Structures are given as C-alpha cells and as structure tokens.
Amino acid sequence: MNGARRPAEALHETVKPSSAPESVALLLQGSGALGSYQAGVYQALLERGIEPTWIAGISIGAINSAIIAGNSAGDRLAKLRAFWETVSDAGDNGWSDRWAGHWQSDRARGWINRLAAGRVIAEGVRGFFTPRIPPPYLLPAGTAGVTSYYDVTGLWSTLERLIDFDRINAKAMRFSVGAVNVRTGNFAYFDNKTDMIRPEHIMASCALPPAFDAIEVDGEFYWDGGMVSNTPLDWVISERTDLDTLVPQVDLWSARGSLPRDLAEVAVRMKEVQFSSRTRAASDEFRKVKRLQAAFNELLKEMSPELAATPQAQLLARACEPAVYNVVQLVYRSATYEASRRTMSSRGVRWRNTGRRAMTTPPRRWRTPRYLYCRRRRRALLSMTF
C-alpha cells in the first residue's frame, strides 16, 4: 500500500468480512458542548451490537467515557442523557429553546448562539461550573481561586451522582483519560489498568485554563489534556496487543471548512484547524508506523533463522505487533456549535441514518493486508435523542 489514500470502496475489495472485532476501543475527544455528538456515537454502536472493551477520552470525552465505563450497560444511555440534560438546562423552563425555534435564518441563529455563549460566560453551566465571585483579577496572587474564572465544585457532585467509580475500578472495561502535568508540561494518562480512578482524574482531564483551576492528583497538578493532544489514539495504539481491534474515533473538529465571514466564524475556524491538525498528525503517524511494521513482518518471514535470531531482528519483531487496527473516523461537520438543549437534541435526527452506515459499511474485521487503516467521514449531526 503506497502513501496515497485509497478510497474506502477500493479497500473493501481487498478484505473479507468476518465476525465481530475481538476488541473495540472507543476514542472520545474534547470540545465542550460537541461532546453530545459522542453520546450519539455510543448509542449507535449499542444499537449495532458493538460494545467497547476499552474507552479512552480527553476533556468532555473523559466525562462521557467515565459515564459509560462507570455504569451497567442498561443504565449508560440514561446516565448520558441525564448529564447532557443537566448541562444544557438554561434554567428558564425551556423558554429560550422555544423562542430560538422560531428563528431559522443564519443571521438569527448567529445572534442566538452569541446570546447563549454570553449566558454561559456570565452564569456558568448548571452541574458543571459557576463564576468566581469576586473574580480572580481582584484577588492577591497565590490565594485560592486566583488562577481561574470558574469554580468546578458542581462538576464533582455531578460525577459522583452519575458515575460508579467502583465499577470503573473493577476493570470490566478498560478506561483511560488524558491530562497535562502543569509542572513538567508532560502528557499523562490515568488508566484503570494501573490507577485507582477517582473524580479528580476526570476533572483533571477537563481543567482547561484559565477557565478552570488545575486539579491536584496525588501531589501533582494537571490541566486539560487537549492542550497537548485532543485524541487518545496514541495511548491506545501504544498498548501492544494480539487482538484485532476496531477503533471508532470521534473527531469533533473538521479539517474542512468555509472561509469565515465574521469574527465569530474566525474563532470557530481557528479551533477547527488547531484541533483537527493534531488529530491528523496522530492518525498519519499511526498509518506510517503500521506500514513499516507490516513491511518488517513480511521481511521476517523471508529471513534465515540465524538472521531472525539476531538482537536487532528480535528488537524489531517485538515492536511489530500482529494485530489489525480498523480506525473508523466519525467527523462532526456543522456550523452549529452552540450548547443549547435544542441544538443538542436536533443532532440526533440525521445520525439515525448516517451513523449506522458509517459503522456497518466497513467490515468489522479486516484480515489483509495487516496494516489497513480506514478513514470514514460522515457529515452527520450526532447526539443523544432527549
């Protein structure tokens, strides 16, 4: 396979569909209100009988991941719905959503989005964060609350209400969340394979400065993992495995977009480019490594026993795992990034058709060649149906 990307249809010709994947690693990125799209992804997977064996998230993806891993299969959708209903509640008995429903033009919706964003800045988000009073710029350096604009005590209570941390730590499902060490600047993952997961691990992955304070975990302080990488792909594929693995990767920022027409669209487009570029870099590196591993595995079959037994050959052989990875990218593409309940609810309408096709068109396991990588883009608005 050369460096050029082959169409998905051409890839399908080289593979034979078989049974369900041996492992399913669901990757959930960060990006605030767009996390409702991830809830819809999980719902669609469940409808197709695909249950994650490993879930990894960053920022809002860490919260969704913890809700999924921290509840029984029968309760996960209800708990996801409860979280998104909580954080999308404007506290006005639904009047703002009903009023917004009467305005459908781009200009009107733009103003509605700005008003909704202004409300979040001024009032915070129920069950998540509230503005600090007095604000941090009026406090002396070194005092509590001086390094962030919002208090996230509400998130702690929400996590404890919706997540059974004993279930996460029972390790029935592999669970990982990413954060950045403030002191060293290094990326870190909290993983139930090695760590006893607590609410502070989830909050550390969501601690985006300067909105939120760094969160202390075992004597170190952490910020939002999205500052370094918004996708946990590197962490998942760094784990050596012999299991053929399906990797649904939920990309919340699209690399493709339109030329901005105002400052608000400039801000959105900047985020799309910033976050999607990091995701592409991780995906491209993964593809490159898989090609090299596949090439060496083929070469190893032709080596003499003496050459294959050399330390150099053995070193490379240990680095070339035999597992097949099927990365299915589900990309959110929409001009709508508001956090209202109305918008979150409407995202589920198109997903019913497009999401199902995205997960069933590619074979669930690909046997040959052994480094295949699938990139599936769906122009889908995706969310839980409230």
Side-chain angles (χ1 to χ4, degrees), residues 112-183:
I112 291 170
N113 290 350
R114 291 179 180 89
L115 288 173
R119 179 186 61 79
V120 169
I121 292 172
E123 301 176 9
V125 172
R126 178 173 172 257
F128 202 136
F129 59 88
T130 54
R132 292 193 182 277
I133 301 176
Y137 46 79
L138 296 181
L139 299 175
T143 58
V146 75
T147 58
S148 66
Y149 289 103
Y150 299 96
D151 181 351
V152 292
T153 303
L155 178 58
W156 184 288
S157 301
T158 298
L159 295 178
E160 289 196 319
R161 175 171 60 90
L162 296 177
I163 299 167
D164 181 353
F165 285 90
D166 289 337
R167 177 178 288 273
I168 292 178
N169 292 313
K171 305 178 183 179
M173 179 187 296
R174 181 83 177 269
F175 171 82
S176 313
V177 293
V180 177
N181 187 305
V182 178
R183 183 180 58 82

Side-chain angles (χ1 to χ4, degrees), residues 19 41 54 74 96 145 153-154 212 228 235 265 272 283 286 386:
S19 59
V41 169
W54 186 353
S96 59
T153 303
F212 309 137
V228 172
W235 179 251
E265 291 185 3
E272 288 177 334
S283 300
F286 168 66
F386 297 135

Side-chain angles (χ1 to χ4, degrees), residues 76-367:
R76 289 168 186 163
L77 293 179
K79 291 298 178 68
L80 284 168
R81 185 177 295 109
F83 173 75
W84 286 103
E85 287 182 341
T86 296
V87 299
S88 63
D89 185 1
D92 58 3
N93 295 318
W95 279 105
S96 59
D97 283 340
R98 286 193 289 272
W99 178 71
H102 295 291
W103 302 91
Q104 298 299 325
S105 70
D106 289 344
R107 177 174 294 183
R109 291 202 60 80
W111 278 107
I112 291 170
N113 290 350
R114 291 179 180 89
L115 288 173
R119 179 186 61 79
V120 169
I121 292 172
E123 301 176 9
V125 172
R126 178 173 172 257
F128 202 136
F129 59 88
T130 54
R132 292 193 182 277
I133 301 176
Y137 46 79
L138 296 181
L139 299 175
T143 58
V146 75
T147 58
S148 66
Y149 289 103
Y150 299 96
D151 181 351
V152 292
T153 303
L155 178 58
W156 184 288
S157 301
T158 298
L159 295 178
E160 289 196 319
R161 175 171 60 90
L162 296 177
I163 299 167
D164 181 353
F165 285 90
D166 289 337
R167 177 178 288 273
I168 292 178
N169 292 313
K171 305 178 183 179
M173 179 187 296
R174 181 83 177 269
F175 171 82
S176 313
V177 293
V180 177
N181 187 305
V182 178
R183 183 180 58 82
T184 66
N186 293 331
F187 201 86
Y189 273 96
F190 305 118
D191 194 305
N192 65 351
K193 182 178 180 180
T194 55
D195 303 306
M196 186 67 65
I197 302 299
R198 306 183 299 274
E200 54 263 40
H201 293 102
I202 315 304
M203 295 176 67
S205 185
C206 303
L208 183 65
F212 309 137
D213 265 341
I215 300 297
E216 183 178 5
V217 179
D218 299 330
E220 292 284 355
F221 287 83
Y222 295 89
W223 275 333
D224 191 307
M227 295 180 63
V228 172
S229 176
N230 206 37
T231 178
L233 179 63
D234 286 342
W235 179 251
V236 169
I237 64 176
S238 68
E239 178 83 1
R240 182 177 175 84
T241 178
D242 293 331
L243 300 178
D244 291 351
T245 303
L246 173 66
V247 186
Q249 178 173 263
V250 186
D251 295 347
L252 297 180
W253 297 97
S254 173
R256 299 178 184 177
S258 303
L259 186 67
R261 299 169 297 176
D262 55 31
L263 288 176
E265 291 185 3
V266 168
V268 170
R269 188 63 190 137
M270 286 174 60
K271 290 183 179 179
E272 288 177 334
V273 172
Q274 176 186 359
F275 290 118
S276 66
S277 63
R278 294 178 184 178
T279 301
R280 288 199 311 274
S283 300
D284 290 346
E285 181 63 20
F286 168 66
R287 187 184 298 107
K288 177 182 176 181
V289 169
K290 280 299 171 185
R291 283 200 299 265
L292 294 174
Q293 289 181 345
F296 179 78
N297 282 334
E298 292 298 322
L299 187 61
L300 186 62
K301 297 175 183 178
E302 305 300 325
M303 287 184 183
S304 66
E306 295 77 14
L307 183 57
T310 62
Q312 294 85 349
Q314 289 297 303
L315 176 64
L316 291 172
R318 287 192 296 270
C320 297
E321 59 188 352
V324 175
Y325 285 90
N326 307 290
V327 179
V328 181
Q329 288 182 288
L330 300 167
V331 185
Y332 179 90
R333 293 181 184 174
S334 173
T336 302
Y337 291 98
E338 64 179 284
S340 69
R341 179 175 296 179
R342 180 176 180 274
T343 299
M344 293 182 188
S345 300
S346 68
R347 289 176 186 148
V349 175
R350 296 185 192 176
W351 169 249
R352 291 295 179 179
N353 295 324
T354 57
R356 288 173 179 171
R357 287 198 301 270
M359 294 311 304
T360 56
T361 299
R364 292 186 180 175
R365 281 176 69 189
W366 286 354
R367 284 295 181 189

